[in-house]
Amino acid sequence: MRIFDTNVQQIKYEVLKALIRNAYENNIDNIYVDIPKMISPGPKATLRCCIYKERAILQERIKLALGGDKSNPNVIEVLDIACDECPIGGVFVTQACRGCIFHGCAEACPKGAISIIDKKAVIDKSKCIECGLCKKACPYNAIIEQHRPCVMSCKVKAITMDENKKAKIDNDKCISCGACVYQCPFGAIADKSFVMETIDILKNSNENKNYKVYAVIAPSIVSQFKYARIEQVVSGIHKLGFHQVVEAALGADITLYHEVNEFKEKGLLTTSCCPSFVMYIEKYFPEFRQYVSGSVSPMVETAKLIKSSDKTAKVVFIGPCTSKKMEYKTEKANEYIDSVISFEELQAFFDARDVDVTKLDDTALDNASFYGRIFAKSGGIARGVKDVSESMGIKGVNPVAMNGIDECKVNLLKLKIKKSEYNFFEGMACDGGCLNGALCLHHGPKNLADVDRYGNEAKEKTIDNSVKLYKLANGIKDE
């Protein structure tokens, strides 16, 4: 059964699995030689021009799996050696040009960049501004517009090409959403891994005798490991050495409670759950920083709850996105989160440790409410805010779910010019929400049905018990 969407994910997984296995066997001295040879044994190359280049790229992937470039604060990096197959992009005349006498393309060009040579249209790249008017004017659709997938995927225009035609990420613009990671067909843009940190945490716990290790799982996990029941996946996580598995949806319930109360005070609010959305506001709409919820994300809220009852606990978040890896390094989170791994990396852990979750018994998972669980999808927070505010007697909440950065931009621009009808803004950087995060095993509309079912299976239909637990942990008395 195919677990991943793409072969790029499969290669990343093979590297991670081999590294994790070697780390547990205390055999990492020769990983830069042994792992590439194991994955690409040769003598013929299967993916690149030669076996030597394949292995050189695998060595770069090992570096990322070991934490990447420590001098680069971004969790997303470009593997220069792997970035060399895509055309730079722009407007091109194809062989479909019929050499017509209409010459509509040349007439449409505002810069005079098109000449007719030997009856064919030719574009002068030094003059072309890539406006696309020639493309629209061609009656044969012979002119095309082509851009690199990474550039097209980046909604904040943080990716350009350097002098060597390699992708370059502008960290000042990047919001670490990871869209480029998933969309690059050659895997030349990838995320740093913290699997080695996680291994150290598990090993040094001495089977949870020195301290207990907790796994906090994102609600979107239910849409990922389709070959097993979620209860079996939870058992598998225990098998890896975790003391307890806690739903981040529990923290989502508490975050929802905070945001509803915060809206009551401010009258205008944007959510804090998606770190990339928060970064987007900070970098592109700084005038709205004051309206970003002061609540920490569900990941951090859950970890805070764990560490309030177990002061020595170590918490590892398991989720779908690069964004959470970036958040983990922030001041708000690093006190409570000790490491972050992705669903891709969890799969590598299972297989490296020979954990077949399909053969495990179920472990019940019932930490959160319906509302906390549906945070995984676009619109989940908006629905929760609407329903919970009404139950708390707070009127006037008019939420909008912004699905992807393009929708975030449109709605925030309307707010900027005072043309928005909404007063609560749920922002998700990934189309569809967390269930389509860049580091999911697979992506698609079927994931939505899994999250909805997961929400409906929650025994708690309100956030009341989660809020009581939060208040008890923080010594807060009900008014």
Side-chain angles (χ1 to χ4, degrees), residues 414-452:
K414 286 182 179 179
L415 180 63
K416 187 173 184 177
I417 62 174
K418 297 181 170 48
K419 295 291 184 180
S420 177
E421 61 187 285
Y422 305 107
N423 53 23
F424 187 96
F425 296 81
E426 174 207 304
M428 294 278 194
C430 296
D431 290 335
C434 304
L435 53 83
N436 281 325
L439 306 184
C440 284
L441 305 183
H442 47 78
H443 307 71
K446 290 183 179 179
N447 292 352
L448 179 60
D450 292 325
V451 170
D452 283 337

Side-chain angles (χ1 to χ4, degrees), residues 363-382:
T363 298
L365 190 67
D366 193 25
N367 303 124
S369 78
F370 162 80
Y371 292 110
R373 288 182 170 186
I374 64 170
F375 264 48
K377 68 174 185 176
S378 176
I381 305 172

Side-chain angles (χ1 to χ4, degrees), residues 76 149-150 152-155 159 174-184 189 276 322-323 405 429-431 436-439:
I76 299 171
C150 58
M152 294 294 289
S153 70
C154 183
K155 304 302 182 182
I159 300 179
C174 180
I175 58 173
S176 300
C177 66
C180 56
V181 173
Y182 181 67
Q183 292 297 334
C184 177
I189 304 179
S276 289
T322 54
S323 187
I405 291 300
C430 296
D431 290 335
N436 281 325
L439 306 184

Side-chain angles (χ1 to χ4, degrees), residues 32 59-80 168-169 171 190-194 197 325-326 329:
Y32 284 106
Q59 289 175 338
E60 293 301 310
R61 296 195 189 285
I62 293 169
K63 289 180 183 178
L64 271 182
L66 291 171
D69 180 1
K70 300 297 190 293
S71 66
N72 182 359
N74 201 338
V75 295
I76 299 171
E77 292 187 16
V78 177
L79 303 178
D80 284 352
K168 181 173 66 174
I169 298 174
N171 287 347
D191 56 299
K192 295 176 180 176
S193 178
F194 304 125
E197 292 180 12
K325 290 187 175 186
M326 196 70 177
K329 294 296 186 179

Side-chain angles (χ1 to χ4, degrees), residues 204-216:
N204 293 335
S205 76
N206 189 22
E207 297 181 345
N208 293 293
K209 294 172 186 173
N210 296 335
Y211 52 80
K212 293 179 174 62
V213 187
Y214 295 77
V216 173

